[in-house]
Amino acid sequence: MSEQLKFIVEQLNREPFKKNFNLITFDSLEPIQLLQTLNDVLAEIDSKQAIDIREEMPDQTAKRMFTLLGLLKYKPSGGLTDASSFRQGLVTGSKPVIHPILHWLLQRVPELKKRAYLARFLVKLDVPGEFLTDDVISDTYHQYEELVEGFKTYHKECEQLRNSGFSTAEIRRDIAAMEEEKDQLIKRVERLRKRVESVSNHQRMLELARQLRVEKEREESLAHQKQEQKNQLFQAEQRLQRCQIQLKDLRQAAADAKPESLVKRLEEEIKFNSYMVSDKLPKELERMRRKVRYLQKVASEPAMGHAELAELEEKIKQLSQANQEMEKKMTRTDPMDDNLTLYRQQASIIARKKEAKAEEVQESREELAAVSREVSSKSSQARGQGGVEIIRTDEFKRYVSKMRGKNITYKKKRQEIAELKSEFGILQRTEEILRQRHTAEQQQLQSLEAQKGISGFSETQEELERVSAIKSELDELKGRTLDDMSEMRKLLLLYPFPGRS
C-alpha cells in the first residue's frame, strides 16, 4: 500500500497536475478533496470531466465517474466486485476505493486518453427496438452506423500514418532541402545557358542534345518492350508445349477409337466385372460375414479371466503342433503329392496376385471416377464464371482442319503482299531514277540555252504550251455553249410560248 501511495503522489506532483502532495498530506485528504483529485485525473483523460464536484450532486458524480470507468474498462480489485458497494465507495470518497482507481489511471494515462477519445465515437447509442420500426429513425440509425464504421477506417489509416515513421518536421526539412537543391539547379542551368550562348551554333547543338535524350528514352522504352515480348514469347511457348501434349494425347485416344479396339476393351471390361461379381465380391462378403459372426460371438461371451486365457493359449499351441506334424507327414508322401502341393501353392499365389490386381483396378476406377467428377464440376464452374468450355475430340479435329486451311490462305496472302512490296520498291526506285535523269536533262538544257543566248526558252515554250492548252479548253467550252444556244433556239422555234408569234 505504501508503494502505491508513493507512486500516486509522485505522479500527481508532475505535469500536468502539479499538486504538491506528500504522503502525509495526501493520506490526510478529506473525502471531498480525494474525489476532486480523482475528478482532476479523469478530466486530464477526458476534458468533459472538468467539473467542480461541489457544484454537483454526489449521486450524479458517482454515476458520471462510474460510467467513464466502465468505458475505460476498469475492474475493481480485491473484494469490491459488487457494483453497489463500489458505487457507494465512490459516493463517500472511500480511500480503499479511490486509491486503486488513481493508481490504475496514473499508470496508463496516454492509453486511457486514446480509449476515451475513441469511446466518444464508437460507443453506439442504445435505441429501443420499437423505435427502429419507424422508417426515418431506422434510416438515421443506419447512417449513424455507417459513420461509425467510416470513423474506424479513418482512424486506422491515421494510426498507420503515425506509425509509418513520417513526421511533419522531417517532411518540412525534406521540402526545404529540395527547395534549396532546386535553387542550386536553377543557378547551374543559368550559368550553363550563358556559357552555351557564347558558342556558335548553340541552338543546333541544343536541338541535337534534345534529340539524343529523346532517342535514349526511346531506346529504354524499346528495351522494355523487348523484355515484355520475350516474356510473352516464353509464355506462348509454354502454352504451345501444353497444347502439343494435349494434341498428342487426343491423337492417341483417337487412334484407339476403332471398332475392334472398342470391342476388345468392352470384352475386357465385361470379364473384369464378371470376375468381380462372381468371385471376388462374394468372397469378400463371406469373409466380412464370418468376421461379423466372430465379433458377435466374442461380444456375447462373458469376460475371460487369466485361467481361461491360459487354457486358450495352450489349445492354440497344441493345434499349431498338430498342424506342423501334418505338414511333415505331407512332405514324406509320394512325389505325385509333392507335385500337387507345388501346383496348389502356385495356384494360390496366382489367385492372390489376381485379387491384388483386381483391387488395384478397382481403386484406379474409383480414382478415375473421382477425377471425372472433379473435371465436370470444374467445367461447370468455368462455364458459370464465363470461362471457356473444354472441347471434345471431334470438335478439336474440325478446329485443327479449319485452322490449317486458314494458315494456307494466310501464307498465300502474305506471299502476295511480299511480291507487291518488292514491286512497289522497284517502282519507287525507277521513279527516283527518272526524276534524277529529268533534273540532269533540265540542267543540261538550261546550260545549252545560256550558251546559245536564249536563256528561258524552254520555260517560255512550256508556258506557251500550257496557255495553248487552256485556250483550247476555253474554245471547246465556247463551242459547247454555242451548240447549247442553237439547240435552245431550235426548241423555241418548234415550241413557241403562248401569246408570242
Side-chain angles (χ1 to χ4, degrees):
M1 182 63 73
S2 61
E3 293 294 331
Q4 187 183 71
L5 290 177
K6 186 177 179 182
F7 176 77
I8 293 171
V9 170
E10 288 178 356
Q11 295 297 323
L12 291 175
N13 289 335
R14 294 178 181 176
E15 292 283 348
F17 304 106
K18 294 183 179 180
K19 293 292 185 181
N20 258 341
F21 285 145
N22 55 38
L23 292 175
I24 298 173
T25 56
F26 179 73
D27 192 50
S28 61
L29 289 176
E30 295 293 331
I32 188 70
Q33 295 175 341
L34 192 60
L35 281 173
Q36 185 62 50
T37 304
L38 175 61
N39 191 79
D40 294 341
V41 175
L42 293 175
E44 178 62 26
I45 294 172
D46 187 3
S47 59
K48 292 182 179 180
Q49 308 297 323
I51 300 173
D52 190 352
I53 63 173
R54 292 175 296 182
E55 300 175 356
E56 191 179 27
M57 296 298 293
D59 291 341
Q60 294 179 357
T61 303
K63 183 178 179 182
R64 177 172 53 80
M65 291 182 178
F66 190 76
T67 303
L68 182 59
L69 290 173
L71 292 175
L72 299 178
K73 298 182 180 180
Y74 172 73
K75 295 181 180 180
S77 59
L80 297 173
T81 55
D82 189 9
S84 60
S85 60
F86 180 71
R87 186 188 296 270
Q88 187 64 29
L90 276 178
V91 172
T92 58
S94 175
K95 292 180 182 179
V97 175
I98 303 299
H99 287 177
I101 295 174
L102 286 172
H103 184 262
W104 186 81
L105 293 174
L106 293 170
Q107 280 181 332
R108 45 183 70 82
V109 173
E111 177 187 351
L112 296 177
K113 279 185 178 181
K114 180 179 178 181
R115 190 176 296 173
Y117 169 74
L118 294 177
R120 192 190 316 170
F121 303 100
L122 298 182
V123 176
K124 294 185 178 180
L125 298 175
D126 189 11
V127 180
E130 58 269 16
F131 292 111
L132 291 176
T133 56
D134 189 357
D135 294 337
V136 178
I137 296 176
S138 178
D139 294 340
T140 306
Y141 189 74
H142 286 314
Q143 292 178 4
Y144 165 71
E145 289 181 339
E146 290 176 359
L147 290 173
V148 170
E149 295 298 327
F151 173 78
K152 289 180 182 179
T153 304
Y154 294 139
H155 180 71
K156 287 180 182 178
E157 292 177 358
C158 181
E159 289 296 323
Q160 290 175 359
L161 289 174
R162 286 178 179 174
N163 298 327
S164 61
F166 294 104
S167 63
T168 55
E170 292 180 357
I171 293 173
R172 286 173 181 171
R173 285 197 296 270
D174 293 340
I175 291 173
M178 286 189 287
E179 290 289 342
E180 184 178 356
E181 187 176 357
K182 178 183 175 182
D183 295 336
Q184 292 178 359
L185 290 174
I186 290 172
K187 292 178 181 178
R188 187 180 299 174
V189 168
E190 290 295 331
R191 288 197 300 269
L192 291 173
R193 184 176 294 172
K194 292 178 180 179
R195 187 182 302 172
V196 168
E197 286 177 354
S198 61
V199 180
S200 59
N201 296 329
H202 64 279
Q203 291 293 338
R204 176 63 177 168
M205 295 175 68
L206 289 174
E207 183 64 26
L208 291 174
R210 190 178 299 108
Q211 291 178 2
L212 177 62
R213 186 181 69 252
V214 171
E215 291 299 326
K216 285 185 177 179
E217 292 176 355
R218 184 183 175 189
E219 182 182 4
E220 292 178 359
S221 175
L222 291 175
H224 183 66
Q225 292 179 3
K226 182 180 179 181
Q227 186 63 34
E228 288 182 352
Q229 290 177 357
K230 283 184 178 180
N231 296 333
Q232 293 175 1
L233 178 62
F234 178 74
Q235 294 175 0
E237 289 176 351
Q238 294 292 325
R239 288 196 299 270
L240 177 62
Q241 290 178 1
R242 291 195 296 269
C243 292
Q244 287 176 350
I245 293 172
Q246 292 178 0
L247 180 61
K248 184 178 179 182
D249 296 338
L250 290 172
R251 285 177 177 174
Q252 290 178 356
D256 296 334
K258 296 179 180 179
E260 295 81 2
S261 60
L262 290 175
V263 171
K264 186 177 180 181
R265 191 183 305 167
L266 289 173
E267 289 177 352
E268 292 177 354
E269 189 172 356
I270 290 170
K271 288 180 182 179
F272 176 77
N273 292 330
S274 301
Y275 166 74
M276 292 290 292
V277 171
S278 62
D279 193 2
K280 189 174 186 304
L281 291 178
K283 287 182 180 179
E284 289 184 356
L285 183 61
E286 185 63 28
R287 186 169 59 251
M288 296 298 293
R289 286 175 178 172
R290 286 199 304 268
K291 187 175 181 181
V292 169
R293 287 196 296 269
Y294 178 73
L295 292 174
Q296 288 176 351
K297 183 178 178 182
V298 171
S300 61
E301 290 181 355
M304 295 183 181
H306 292 287
E308 295 175 348
L309 290 174
E311 185 179 355
L312 287 174
E313 289 178 356
E314 185 65 27
K315 287 182 179 180
I316 290 170
K317 287 181 181 179
Q318 292 175 1
L319 291 172
S320 62
Q321 289 177 0
N323 191 15
Q324 290 177 2
E325 290 177 358
M326 184 66 69
E327 289 179 355
K328 289 179 181 179
K329 185 178 179 181
M330 290 175 67
T331 54
R332 289 195 297 268
T333 56
D334 56 342
M336 183 62 67
D337 293 335
D338 292 340
N339 292 330
L340 291 174
T341 304
L342 180 62
Y343 293 148
R344 289 192 187 98
Q345 290 177 354
Q346 291 179 354
S348 63
I349 290 171
I350 292 171
R352 285 196 296 270
K353 287 183 178 180
K354 188 176 180 181
E355 290 180 357
K357 293 298 180 183
E359 290 178 357
E360 290 180 2
V361 171
Q362 188 66 22
E363 291 177 356
S364 300
R365 285 190 171 186
E366 292 175 356
E367 186 177 358
L368 178 61
V371 172
S372 300
R373 287 193 298 270
E374 185 177 0
V375 168
S376 62
S377 64
K378 295 293 184 183
S379 299
S380 61
Q381 289 179 4
R383 289 194 298 271
Q385 295 176 359
V388 180
E389 187 178 359
I390 299 175
I391 61 176
R392 295 189 296 272
T393 306
D394 52 352
E395 294 178 353
F396 184 75
K397 286 181 178 178
R398 288 196 296 270
Y399 175 74
V400 169
S401 61
K402 183 179 178 182
M403 292 303 296
R404 189 178 291 114
K406 287 186 177 181
N407 190 20
I408 294 171
T409 307
Y410 166 73
K411 288 180 179 178
K412 290 180 179 178
K413 298 296 182 182
R414 188 173 61 181
Q415 186 176 1
E416 291 177 1
I417 291 171
E419 292 175 356
L420 291 173
K421 284 184 178 179
S422 62
E423 186 177 356
F424 178 71
I426 293 169
L427 292 174
Q428 277 187 333
R429 180 60 181 166
T430 305
E431 182 185 7
E432 185 179 357
I433 292 170
L434 292 174
R435 284 182 178 177
Q436 291 177 358
R437 288 180 180 177
H438 178 68
T439 304
E441 289 176 356
Q442 286 290 112
Q443 291 176 356
Q444 186 177 3
L445 180 61
Q446 289 176 1
S447 62
L448 287 173
E449 289 176 354
Q451 291 177 3
K452 300 297 182 179
I454 53 173
S455 298
F457 177 78
S458 60
E459 295 178 358
T460 306
Q461 184 69 25
E462 290 177 358
E463 185 66 22
L464 289 173
E465 290 177 357
R466 186 177 65 81
V467 171
S468 176
I470 293 172
K471 181 178 179 299
S472 63
E473 291 177 359
L474 290 174
D475 292 340
E476 185 178 358
L477 181 61
K478 287 178 181 180
R480 286 199 300 270
T481 305
L482 291 173
D483 292 338
D484 293 338
M485 291 174 68
S486 63
E487 290 292 331
M488 184 66 68
R489 183 173 176 277
K490 289 178 181 179
L491 289 173
L492 290 174
L493 292 173
L494 290 174
Y495 305 103
F497 288 105
R500 292 185 60 183
S501 57

